[in-house]
């Protein structure tokens, strides 16, 4: 029997919207050609790719020519960093933060083993950056400043517009990773002033396996994945047509939802967060209350391990996580919480709940009903042995 699930892990991935399934389906069943083919059955698809490109561009107020489709947010992040280094070979320093997603920091750690210099800027206990330190850390050989917009574990938002302005003053390229932002924050690359920006379709109700990199016009771009001349020579590989069409449709939905949905999600998240903090002794939030994504909360439960909480939540049909899905299973405490000076014990006892457009009041009520008992049970077990 199919078990009812209560999905509170929308920062890991999101349910594909029925509208998106409807838009992409014909490209799996009927129009499955290769857009680079010379005959009509194939090359007719190019138009659909361009329509999707226009929709994704509109989501961030970019020009469609500034959008390069990739396979995921990870590839977009890797590509931006790689391009900045290889297009400016004399510049061998990357300035990033200690709380980036693994797709940034693991790649930067790898680059550090290859002779590049990498600075991981610290954050304070609320998860905030010191912009004066950021400015001071830019060096003559800095190829790129790469800072995420919204943290996937805590939801904490960095002031990207100010960071991009600092970079412009210092004549350094600026990349941001707002993979968690679409449909939650208004995104405008012209206002932000960044040179590169990463997106991932599966965070906005499209399928996995498709992403995009915004590359500002006139910024030198060195392709990361090379092969055929797809994406105007900027990303080799036969296009994931159905995925890209889905991404375009999801971008339209995210834009349409932007007016009311963030307010609704914020109210739900706040009800959930306030309820947990009120009902469960020894619970406290990780990270600043604001500015923060409207859908994310990260909560520490004193004296407990997240693993046990997540197991019992799972038994109640509730999906949540202890941090990034990409690092789940790792025994190390979250690098994000550790960078915020959380003790290892606190970090290990923290869970992330991230809401999405399909969460309802009733689901929040269900979670609020289940969680106090789960925590009590675990604490009772701990004391009673
Ligand atoms: N950046 C952030 C902030 C993310 O949360 C994620 C995924 O969790 C990624 C990048 C990577 O995206 P993808 O799963 O498409 O590779």
């Amino acid at each position: 029997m199919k078990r009812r699930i209560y999905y509170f892990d929308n920062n890991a991935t999101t349910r594909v919207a029925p509208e998106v399934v409807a838009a992409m389906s014909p490209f799996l069943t009927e129009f499955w050609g290769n857009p680079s083919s010379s005959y009509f059955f194939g090359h007719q698809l190019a138009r659909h790719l361009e329509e999707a490109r226009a929709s994704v561009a509109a989501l961030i107020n970019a020009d469609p020519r500034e959008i390069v489709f990739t396979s995921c947010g990870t590839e977009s992040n890797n590509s931006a960093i790689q391009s900045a280094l290889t297009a400016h070979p004399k510049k061998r320093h990357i300035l990033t933060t200690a709380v980036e997603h693994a797709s940034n920091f693991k790649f930067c750690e790898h680059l550090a083993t290859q002779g590049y210099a990498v600075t991981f800027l610290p954050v304070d206990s609320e998860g905030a950056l010191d912009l004066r330190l950021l400015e001071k850390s830019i060096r003559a050989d800095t190829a790129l400043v790469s800072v995420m917009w919204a943290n996937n574990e805590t939801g904490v938002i960095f002031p990207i517009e100010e960071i991009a302005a600092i970079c412009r003053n210092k004549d350094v390229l600026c990349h941001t990773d707002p993979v968690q932002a679409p449909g939650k924050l208004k995104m405008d690359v012209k206002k932000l002033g960044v040179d590169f920006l990463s997106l991932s379709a599966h965070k906005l109700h499209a399928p996995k396996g498709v992403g995009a990199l915004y590359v500002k016009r006139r910024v030198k771009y060195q392709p990361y994945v090379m092969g055929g001349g797809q994406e105007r020579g900027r990303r080799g590989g036969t296009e994931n047509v159905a995925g890209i069409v889905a991404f375009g449709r999801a971008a339209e939905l995210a834009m349409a939802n932007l007016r009311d949905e963030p307010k609704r999600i914020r109210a739900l998240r706040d009800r959930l967060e306030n309820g947990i903090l009120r009902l469960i002794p020894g619970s406290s939030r990780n990270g600043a209350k604001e500015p923060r994504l409207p859908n994310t909360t990260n909560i520490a439960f004193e004296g407990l391990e997240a693993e046990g909480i997540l197991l019992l939540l799972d038994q109640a049909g509730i999906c949540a996580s202890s941090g990034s899905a990409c690092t789940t299973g790792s025994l190390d405490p979250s690098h994000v919480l550790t960078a915020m000076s959380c003790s290892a014990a606190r970090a290990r006892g923290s869970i992330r709940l991230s809401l999405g457009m399909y969460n309802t009041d009733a689901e929040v009520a269900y979670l609020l009903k289940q969680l106090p008992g789960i925590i009590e049970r675990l604490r009772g077990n701990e004391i009673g042995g």
Side-chain angles (χ1 to χ4, degrees):
M1 204 180 77
K2 210 169 144 198
R3 199 164 68 125
R4 162 103 207 241
I5 65 150
Y6 298 81
Y7 191 74
F8 287 90
D9 202 16
N10 285 273
N11 288 8
T13 196
T14 56
R15 176 182 155 190
V16 181
E19 298 91 329
V20 170
V21 175
M24 75 184 290
S25 291
F27 297 91
L28 295 168
T29 53
E30 243 183 289
F31 305 112
W32 41 261
N34 186 328
S36 301
S37 297
S38 54
Y39 42 81
F40 178 75
F41 179 63
H43 75 70
Q44 65 172 332
L45 298 175
R47 177 171 65 84
H48 298 280
L49 290 181
E50 292 323 304
E51 281 169 12
R53 195 183 308 282
S55 299
V56 172
L59 177 70
I60 57 171
N61 194 26
D63 185 295
R65 284 168 299 181
E66 294 173 314
I67 301 295
V68 180
F69 285 116
T70 64
S71 67
C72 57
T74 299
E75 186 191 319
S76 302
N77 280 348
N78 280 218
S79 304
I81 296 167
Q82 171 82 15
S83 172
L85 289 171
T86 50
H88 308 93
K90 289 209 178 100
K91 300 197 168 190
R92 298 183 63 82
H93 175 237
I94 298 287
L95 181 56
T96 184
T97 82
V99 295
E100 298 297 310
H101 184 263
S103 53
N104 174 317
F105 83 78
K106 290 275 180 196
F107 189 50
C108 286
E109 278 178 351
H110 166 72
L111 290 170
T113 68
Q114 302 300 303
Y116 291 98
V118 182
T119 304
F120 295 96
L121 288 169
V123 293
D124 67 15
S125 60
E126 296 269 271
L129 277 175
D130 176 349
L131 294 195
R132 272 173 313 190
L133 178 64
L134 181 143
E135 186 166 8
K136 273 199 284 183
S137 305
I138 294 175
R139 314 184 336 192
D141 67 339
T142 303
L144 182 74
V145 173
S146 176
V147 175
M148 70 199 317
W149 193 356
N151 190 276
N152 48 300
E153 293 193 27
T154 60
V156 169
I157 292 172
F158 286 150
I160 293 302
E161 210 175 315
E162 284 175 64
I163 291 169
I166 292 171
C167 294
R168 261 198 317 282
N169 273 340
K170 296 259 184 182
D171 204 17
V172 172
L173 291 171
C174 182
H175 164 244
T176 191
D177 166 3
V179 156
Q180 295 292 348
K184 298 164 204 151
L185 305 178
K186 192 168 186 313
M187 304 166 79
D188 180 339
V189 284
K190 298 203 169 60
K191 197 158 166 272
L192 284 178
V194 293
D195 300 289
F196 301 106
L197 179 148
S198 302
L199 293 170
S200 170
H202 75 102
K203 309 290 185 183
L204 57 140
H205 302 285
K208 292 147 203 67
V210 58
L213 180 67
Y214 157 80
V215 182
K216 191 176 172 179
R217 266 179 96 179
R218 286 191 274 276
V219 166
K220 231 169 150 185
Y221 185 67
Q222 174 63 42
Y224 186 46
V225 178
M226 284 175 254
Q230 293 92 349
E231 295 298 286
R232 294 173 47 235
R234 293 181 295 177
R235 201 272 185 184
T238 304
E239 298 89 341
N240 173 0
V241 179
I244 290 171
V245 167
F247 194 2
R249 185 71 187 106
E252 289 166 7
L253 292 178
M255 274 185 82
N257 284 341
L258 205 52
R259 214 179 62 125
D260 300 322
E261 188 57 15
K263 270 188 239 129
R264 189 191 74 90
I265 285 290
R266 182 182 299 277
L268 270 191
R269 189 275 314 270
D270 288 349
R271 202 179 131 214
L272 179 62
E273 182 175 281
N274 294 336
I276 293 173
L277 299 180
R278 184 168 40 83
L279 294 169
I280 303 179
S283 63
S284 51
R285 187 186 51 248
N286 290 311
K289 195 166 161 61
E290 293 298 338
R292 186 168 51 137
L293 284 177
N295 76 319
T296 308
T297 180
N298 191 309
I299 298 187
F301 297 91
E302 217 176 279
L304 293 182
E305 296 274 339
E307 221 180 318
I309 306 171
L310 295 175
L311 193 77
L312 295 189
L313 283 173
D314 191 19
Q315 284 172 11
I318 298 166
C319 307
S321 69
S322 57
S324 167
C326 303
T327 46
T328 298
S330 145
L331 291 175
D332 295 334
S334 146
H335 72 285
V336 173
L337 300 183
T338 304
M340 289 160 60
S341 307
C342 283
S343 66
R346 183 183 169 94
R348 284 208 184 87
S350 295
I351 69 167
R352 173 186 76 183
L353 297 163
S354 49
L355 289 80
M357 76 177 178
Y358 297 115
N359 284 116
T360 62
D361 258 333
E363 287 179 331
V364 166
Y366 177 75
L367 178 44
L368 282 175
K369 201 158 156 241
Q370 295 294 320
L371 192 56
I374 287 173
I375 300 295
E376 220 168 274
R377 207 173 126 195
L378 288 167
R379 287 201 173 128
N381 278 351
E382 226 178 43
I383 297 161

